[in-house]
Amino acid sequence: MITIECEKVSKSFGPRGSPHRTVALDNASIDIERGELLCFIGPSGCGKSTLLNIIAGLAEPTSGEVLIDGTPVNGPLPRKIAFVFQESALFPWRTVIDNVKLGLAFQQVPKGERDDRASEALQAVGLADFANHYPRQLSGGMKQRVQLARALCLGTDILLMDEPFAALDEQTRMVMGEDLSVLLARTGKTIVFVTHSLVEAVFLADRVAVFTARPGRIKTVLSVDEEHPRKQSFMKSAKLAEMRNELYDLLHDEVRKTMELRGEAGESGARAQSRGLRR
Amino acid sequence: MIALGQRLVQVCVLVAILALWQFATTNGRINPLLLPSLPVVTTEFLGMLRTGAFWPDLRVTLYELVVAFALASTGGCLVGFLVARSGFTIRVFDPIIAGLYSVPTILMFPLYVLIFGIESGSKIALGATVAFFPVALSTISGLAYVDPILVAAARSMGASTTQMFWNVMLPAAFPAIIAGLRLGLVIAFLSILGTETLASIAGLGHEIVSFGESMETAKMFACIGFAILLALALNSTASFVEAKVRRGLE
Amino acid sequence: MSMNVDSSRSLRPPRSLVKRRPRREERRLSPGMARILVILAMVAAWEIGARFFGDPLFVAPPSQVAVALVGLLGVKGVMIAVGMALLELVVAFAVAVVLGVAIGLAVGLNRFWRGALYPIIVTIYAVPQSTILPLFVLLFGIGAATKIAFGITHSVFAVILTLIAGIQNIDPTLLKCARAMGANRRQVLVSVILPSLVPTIFTGMRLAMAGVLLGVLLAELYVSSAGVGLYTQTFANSMQPAKLFALVTLLAAAAVILNELCRMAEARFTRWHS
């Protein structure tokens, strides 16, 4: 059963008709099944985060629409969708447990129930002992676990995550990914996940949507046929490596195109190198 | 970007103030000795501009400002450089200078009048004192907080101490020093104007007060308007120069 | 790898054989001690300069100032004047902070009004207010009202501008996060905006204190027929520099204490804000 439908969603920034107007997202369409874990991957600025924000009702599309369970999105749907942000979106003046409880408080959940659900969620991410710490006392990985707990305890069917591990080092994110796979296999939520990491995409997702360079379109969708929770053995498997390579080929040209658009990359190849040497 | 509606509000506020002024003074509710009407003040202002009545006092004020700022910027930069020579001297002197800066300098004015006299001397001394602190403090912080990566990079390329100072420390600290100089100039001007109203025999501030005391309020308002325009001009010129210098560095 | 480390360590002679050389920092004074010495040296220089080179009609050495200060503490008129000045400072400070925060919130939280009024407030802030001090006296007389009003106008704009800047610096992710969790406008204000602004409000208070000190003291000195201004005038005219220095020291000490209280409050209440 389909729970999220994106129909020809486009998003442009800048004043209409101005030369500075950029098309971030161009006619993106994708249907997301209930209970599946979908990953968005693509070069920077390809509009994958924008699409995620539009699904969450945190941004409005310029054209097209998103349907959740058949109803068009126009604004946040806190009872259906929980969001995990890239940066630490923890409130620095609240303790860990108070951060987790905040969303429940916004939705007028009774006090006693708030406490139970928040402790349960903290337990699930393994941070029960840190309930009374402040965010600044936590490491980057722990902060993202708290965000995850906060999103989980809202009890929504859908979980959207915008590069949740972007700020973490590779080893931490490897372990976080394994834990996440175990945790999410249990909850049965529908999850959309934005990442820059090829391995992370393959390791976690049921399907990977690959975006093109700006203007962002969905280039292709790959399926990863492997049951959840994913094991360490999958991480080391030839299957994962093969899929990663396929993603690499799909993305490589798009990333270079993006960098050339921004003037970051050299003209590519030996000519640029020899010029550099002569100088 | 500022929208049309917002411009409209700004114009409305200005018009409302002027209209209120006009209304209050023409209705005879307010004693014209307290608040003369807008046309009277404008005529007075233009007349004083034409006859150059501001000139002698403006010259005194600007003279005080130039001398005070010259003293403060030389002294402040010099002290800043000396203090920033080592981490130890920074830790010893920076809190002392910052602590002295937190004393309202205006309190020194009675002493300065006693010591330097009621003429320009006391204003110059106070203006220089006020401006000294931001210049010295920003020089110290500019030199003390140069990006350690830049220092390490220069050292790895074999820079000597002198080369390090001229090629790394000074350019890196320059924006902070310029910001300190701008702040020093502006607050020196404000405090010179202020002290001229307190006790003086010449200068724009003195002129305002003496017109007030002799109940020539239209002249006083014209003078206040002139001083305000001057301050705004000085402020924006200083900001402009600072921005220009900064851009030149990048 | 670990073997290498061990062998290199064994090449060094045992600690007891080397004459222990104190490290550089240990040989030196601590910065705190050095600071006290510098301050003492400055006071000593002042003492010597004033005693042997200065004209006793114009400058007084710190020893005489200290004696005069003790004497002033017993003079009722001076104490009333200083107390009055402190009262004016506190009242002006309270009004400026409350007014500034209220106006800052009202203007800063609305994009339209912020854009429209911000340039006006900046311009007013840049006006040299000492030029309109005579107007204040004409309007409010020579009593406390003038000094309080002048203190308020010297500080309220800084608070407003600080608050507007603070509102613009609120972490947009937190606002978005609250919205995603279903917070309504009131909940966003109470749970995100106001807590985010706590450090800003304290910064505003610190600036307000500096402004209030300037405004009130300027007005106090300007009005020379009563209060602190009367005494500075009297002491200066009657060539009693020790008393004048003492009065200034007293006020400066009060100012430093007030500034310090603001700074401590700021540090105390913004601890989570690392």
Side-chain angles (χ1 to χ4, degrees):
Chain A
M1 202 178 120
I2 289 163
T3 175
I4 306 175
E5 291 168 75
C6 302
E7 281 176 12
K8 295 193 173 162
V9 180
S10 299
K11 177 80 178 175
S12 306
F13 293 103
R16 208 173 280 274
S18 117
H20 298 294
R21 189 170 172 88
T22 49
V23 182
L25 195 62
D26 185 19
N27 280 318
S29 296
I30 192 165
D31 291 343
I32 302 165
E33 295 276 342
R34 172 151 296 164
E36 90 167 320
L37 204 162
L38 179 79
C39 199
F40 288 168
I41 197 164
S44 338
C46 71
K48 50 195 192 303
S49 290
T50 309
L51 183 56
L52 199 72
N53 277 293
I54 292 173
I55 295 174
L58 293 170
E60 273 181 42
T62 313
S63 68
E65 67 175 351
V66 174
L67 305 171
I68 306 279
D69 297 332
T71 22
V73 174
N74 52 5
L77 297 164
R79 287 175 198 285
K80 285 201 165 160
I81 298 178
F83 203 100
V84 173
F85 292 85
Q86 174 181 359
E87 313 93 299
S88 170
L90 297 178
F91 295 77
W93 54 86
R94 287 174 168 265
T95 58
V96 165
I97 188 88
D98 285 340
N99 259 288
V100 177
K101 280 194 273 190
L102 188 60
L104 300 173
F106 284 153
Q107 294 171 34
Q108 267 107 33
V109 174
K111 260 215 160 77
E113 193 187 334
R114 261 185 245 171
D115 295 343
D116 295 343
R117 278 166 71 176
S119 323
E120 206 177 296
L122 272 186
Q123 198 93 45
V125 299
L127 284 178
D129 293 343
F130 293 88
N132 294 316
H133 283 57
Y134 281 91
R136 69 186 145 83
Q137 298 170 299
L138 306 182
S139 68
M142 289 156 95
K143 282 184 197 161
Q144 292 309 76
R145 279 169 199 266
V146 177
Q147 268 213 73
L148 188 60
R150 184 167 67 186
L152 289 176
C153 86
L154 292 174
T156 56
D157 290 339
I158 300 171
L159 180 60
L160 304 180
M161 296 198 274
D162 188 4
E163 296 189 50
F165 304 151
L168 309 182
D169 66 81
E170 190 175 343
Q171 286 155 31
T172 308
R173 55 195 297 173
M174 199 167 73
V175 175
M176 289 280 290
E178 284 167 16
D179 291 357
L180 190 65
S181 179
V182 173
L183 195 64
L184 298 181
R186 275 211 305 260
T187 61
K189 286 179 194 292
T190 309
I191 294 158
V192 187
F193 188 100
V194 173
T195 183
H196 269 119
S197 160
L198 309 183
V199 174
E200 205 168 271
V202 179
F203 182 74
L204 288 171
D206 293 311
R207 286 195 300 157
V208 182
V210 182
F211 282 65
T212 65
R214 178 170 283 179
R217 291 189 202 98
I218 296 178
K219 188 175 184 175
T220 177
V221 181
L222 299 179
S223 292
V224 185
D225 189 19
E226 174 81 23
E227 71 179 36
H228 288 283
R230 306 263 160 98
K231 306 274 179 343
Q232 275 164 281
S233 57
F234 178 58
M235 183 62 96
K236 295 183 283 187
S237 67
K239 185 170 161 193
L240 184 135
E242 205 174 284
M243 294 213 64
R244 193 205 76 99
N245 291 347
E246 197 180 339
L247 268 184
Y248 179 86
D249 289 336
L250 281 167
L251 276 171
H252 178 268
D253 294 343
E254 301 299 337
V255 173
R256 191 162 277 287
K257 218 187 287 170
T258 305
M259 291 174 77
E260 272 161 14
L261 274 176
R262 294 194 196 152
E264 279 174 8
E267 290 110 299
S268 85
R271 222 183 73 219
Q273 251 176 23
S274 68
R275 268 201 348 186
L277 284 177
R278 242 182 286 136
R279 219 185 289 142
Chain B
M1 269 304 278
I2 192 150
L4 195 67
Q6 293 172 329
R7 274 268 176 263
L8 202 67
V9 171
Q10 290 168 5
V11 172
C12 283
V13 169
L14 194 68
V15 170
I17 291 172
L18 295 180
L20 193 70
W21 185 353
Q22 187 59 22
F23 176 76
T25 45
T26 47
N27 249 13
R29 286 206 191 132
I30 289 185
N31 186 345
L33 275 184
L34 212 58
L35 184 67
S37 74
L38 182 56
V40 173
V41 173
T42 318
T43 323
E44 196 67 60
F45 179 77
L46 293 175
M48 288 171 88
L49 265 191
R50 210 177 41 242
T51 57
F54 294 125
W55 182 237
D57 288 297
L58 178 62
R59 222 171 53 181
V60 171
T61 303
L62 287 183
Y63 159 73
E64 290 163 357
L65 177 64
V66 168
V67 178
F69 183 65
L71 287 173
S73 49
T74 340
C77 286
L78 197 68
V79 169
F81 283 135
L82 291 176
V83 169
R85 280 176 69 90
S86 81
F88 183 75
T89 47
I90 291 174
R91 266 177 288 166
V92 173
F93 286 98
D94 193 59
I96 296 180
I97 300 174
L100 287 174
Y101 188 35
S102 78
V103 179
T105 325
I106 192 71
L107 278 174
M108 301 300 286
F109 188 61
L111 304 181
Y112 282 0
V113 173
L114 194 61
I115 299 169
F116 301 106
I118 199 167
E119 289 159 39
S120 287
S122 54
K123 281 92 210 170
I124 291 171
L126 194 90
T129 311
V130 166
F132 167 82
F133 290 101
V135 176
L137 288 172
S138 58
T139 306
I140 294 171
S141 73
L143 289 172
Y145 297 111
V146 172
D147 188 350
I149 290 180
L150 291 182
V151 176
R155 190 163 290 148
S156 77
M157 293 185 286
S160 69
T161 314
T162 336
Q163 287 168 329
M164 182 77 87
F165 182 78
W166 288 108
N167 295 303
V168 182
M169 305 299 279
L170 201 56
F174 207 61
I177 298 174
I178 289 291
L181 287 172
R182 181 187 60 84
L183 185 62
L185 179 67
V186 171
I187 64 175
F189 181 66
L190 294 183
S191 59
I192 285 171
L193 268 185
T195 49
E196 280 175 353
T197 61
L198 287 185
S200 62
I201 51 167
L204 283 177
H206 174 260
E207 179 134 292
I208 291 168
V209 176
S210 56
F211 282 138
E213 277 164 0
S214 58
M215 285 296 171
E216 294 171 272
T217 25
K219 284 201 167 117
M220 179 177 84
F221 270 90
C223 224
I224 290 175
F226 185 71
I228 288 174
L229 289 180
L230 196 67
L232 294 180
L234 185 76
N235 217 336
S236 43
T237 315
S239 302
F240 177 76
V241 170
E242 187 197 345
K244 201 89 184 160
V245 170
R246 270 178 193 231
R247 212 163 314 129
L249 280 178
E250 276 161 12
Chain C
M1 199 62 135
S2 62
M3 266 193 57
N4 277 346
V5 171
D6 283 338
S7 64
S8 77
R9 187 171 287 164
S10 67
L11 287 177
R12 272 200 342 232
R15 241 164 188 259
S16 54
L17 292 182
V18 200
K19 207 170 173 187
R20 194 166 167 274
R21 209 173 45 196
R23 296 217 317 274
R24 276 174 75 97
E25 282 100 296
E26 285 173 300
R27 258 187 309 172
R28 272 202 182 148
L29 292 153
S30 76
M33 274 305 289
R35 203 176 303 141
I36 292 170
L37 287 180
V38 168
I39 293 169
L40 287 178
M42 282 160 70
V43 174
W46 172 15
E47 177 80 37
I48 293 165
R51 200 170 273 273
F52 299 107
F53 304 101
D55 186 333
L57 287 180
F58 300 113
V59 282
S63 53
Q64 288 176 20
V65 174
V67 174
L69 184 59
V70 176
L72 278 192
L73 293 177
V75 182
K76 211 174 158 206
V78 174
M79 284 301 106
I80 290 174
V82 172
M84 236 357 238
L86 286 178
L87 187 69
E88 289 155 8
L89 283 172
V90 171
V91 173
F93 175 75
V95 175
V97 169
V98 172
L99 209 62
V101 170
I103 298 175
L105 279 179
V107 173
L109 285 177
N110 182 302
R111 188 188 290 263
F112 178 82
W113 289 109
R114 185 172 69 210
L117 298 181
Y118 184 80
I120 296 178
I121 300 170
V122 170
T123 311
I124 299 176
Y125 180 57
V127 164
Q129 297 193 15
S130 50
T131 56
I132 50 171
L133 182 49
L135 280 183
F136 275 73
V137 178
L138 283 177
L139 277 172
F140 300 107
I142 58 164
T146 292
K147 293 147 194 175
I148 291 172
F150 206 53
I152 293 171
T153 56
H154 262 82
S155 47
V156 73
F157 298 106
V159 181
I160 296 174
L161 292 176
T162 311
L163 230 79
I164 292 177
I167 288 170
Q168 282 172 296
N169 281 335
I170 293 175
D171 186 352
T173 312
L174 293 184
L175 291 171
K176 211 162 120 181
C177 177
R179 229 152 51 80
M181 293 192 294
N184 59 31
R185 277 180 70 88
R186 198 188 56 81
Q187 287 169 328
V188 169
L189 183 71
V190 172
S191 302
V192 188
I193 294 175
L194 291 181
S196 292
L197 287 177
V198 169
T200 309
I201 291 172
F202 278 100
T203 306
M205 283 168 75
R206 184 161 47 78
L207 292 176
M209 184 49 85
V212 162
L213 281 166
L214 178 63
V216 168
L217 292 174
L218 197 66
E220 278 283 355
L221 293 178
Y222 179 74
V223 178
S224 53
S225 52
V228 171
L230 171 68
Y231 286 101
T232 54
Q233 194 80 2
T234 315
F235 294 153
N237 290 348
S238 57
M239 300 294 178
Q240 294 176 291
K243 282 189 179 168
L244 182 59
F245 276 59
L247 180 57
V248 167
T249 310
L250 192 62
L251 290 167
V256 169
I257 290 170
L258 288 172
N259 272 329
E260 199 59 21
L261 285 176
C262 279
R263 232 175 42 73
M264 274 160 56
E266 189 181 2
R268 167 81 177 74
F269 289 104
T270 54
R271 260 183 311 182
W272 52 264
H273 193 262
S274 49

